[in-house]
Amino acid sequence: MTDTERAPIALFYGSSTCYTEMAGEKIRQQIGSERVDFFNISEEPIATALYYDCLIMGIPTWDYGELQEDWEEIWDELDDLDFSDKTVALYGMGDQIGYPEWFLDAMGYLYHKLIKLGATVVGLWPNEGYQFEQSKALNEDQTLFVGLALDDENEFEKSDQRIASWCAQILNEFGLE
Ligand SMILES: Cc1cc2nc3c(=O)[nH]c(=O)nc-3n(C[C@H](O)[C@H](O)[C@H](O)COP(=O)(O)O)c2cc1C
């Protein structure tokens, strides 16, 4: 892909049972598919992210607070990348009823890594209206998730509205309205 063919935003996701992929598709449709290049991290080198200024990353949590396997696979590669001129918005998928002590933990791990690598993270999202006990994906004062929180196991019917509001928010924060 040449620079002129690239969309202004790239969305990278890892997904074991397709939920994060499906949410990513909805986010892409909401923003406009021509404005978002769409990558599965198991198929595209994560270094491709460096061609973009604005990034969306989707990450589910698995196995009691662990990274999804494809994110796990590229986790150390991320350390070689410089995100200091990148703006990144995260969305996480989890199950607040089944795993209330580990809700969306992997999104928290990714947030902390990206901050360490210099990224500006946008798209923080209020934690009101969710039921969980603990999450590593909360900001310092515990009022916001560090990205969009989606739970298609228990609140599938809320996801479309959440995605629509969050996309408007991040487009504004990306300066791309
Ligand atoms: C075995 C198993 C373990 C899970 N562990 C967690 C967890 O620790 N925290 C959480 O928030 N969600 C957990 N989940 C829920 C998944 O994150 C959720 O199903 C998600 O939508 C999966 O996304 P994917 O299909 O894109 O991989 C778990 C689900 C399964 C089946």
Side-chain angles (χ1 to χ4, degrees):
M1 204 185 286
T2 65
D3 277 349
T4 48
E5 288 166 339
R6 270 183 242 286
I9 303 169
L11 188 157
F12 287 84
Y13 68 89
S15 186
S16 296
T17 51
C18 289
Y19 286 100
T20 310
E21 179 174 12
M22 286 188 294
E25 282 286 7
K26 288 183 186 174
I27 289 167
R28 185 186 196 200
Q29 292 306 322
Q30 183 69 37
I31 292 174
S33 55
E34 73 293 346
R35 301 172 84 188
V36 182
D37 289 337
F38 196 65
F39 300 110
N40 185 331
I41 58 162
S42 70
E43 291 162 6
E44 181 70 23
I46 192 65
T48 298
L50 298 185
Y51 290 112
Y52 297 83
D53 295 331
C54 298
L55 297 159
I56 299 171
M57 294 187 182
I59 182 166
T61 301
W62 276 87
D63 300 327
Y64 306 95
E66 296 293 328
L67 298 172
Q68 184 266 345
E69 58 186 343
D70 300 320
W71 279 105
E72 175 104 64
E73 190 77 23
I74 60 126
W75 200 243
D76 293 342
E77 273 173 57
L78 281 169
D79 294 331
D80 297 330
L81 307 182
D82 179 5
F83 282 87
S84 53
D85 58 349
K86 309 296 173 199
T87 305
V88 188
L90 304 177
Y91 71 97
M93 307 289 301
D95 172 353
Q96 62 199 299
I97 305 297
Y99 302 88
E101 293 168 58
W102 303 272
F103 185 46
L104 303 174
D105 278 2
M107 180 164 71
Y109 295 133
L110 184 56
Y111 169 79
H112 287 292
K113 184 179 272 282
L114 289 167
I115 292 287
K116 222 188 314 174
L117 296 171
T120 300
V121 177
V122 298
L124 274 65
W125 184 253
N127 68 10
E128 282 157 31
Y130 296 84
Q131 294 174 48
F132 62 96
E133 288 165 28
Q134 286 181 47
S135 172
K136 294 200 167 68
L138 292 173
N139 70 342
E140 242 170 70
D141 71 9
Q142 308 274 301
T143 56
L144 300 170
F145 286 112
V146 295
L148 176 63
L150 295 175
D151 179 349
D152 276 358
E153 301 282 334
N154 306 295
E155 297 184 335
F156 180 75
E157 73 291 349
K158 293 189 180 168
S159 291
D160 285 1
Q161 185 51 52
R162 285 172 172 162
I163 285 172
S165 311
W166 184 75
C167 286
Q169 176 186 330
I170 64 167
L171 282 175
N172 187 316
E173 291 172 317
F174 282 154
L176 288 176
E177 273 174 308

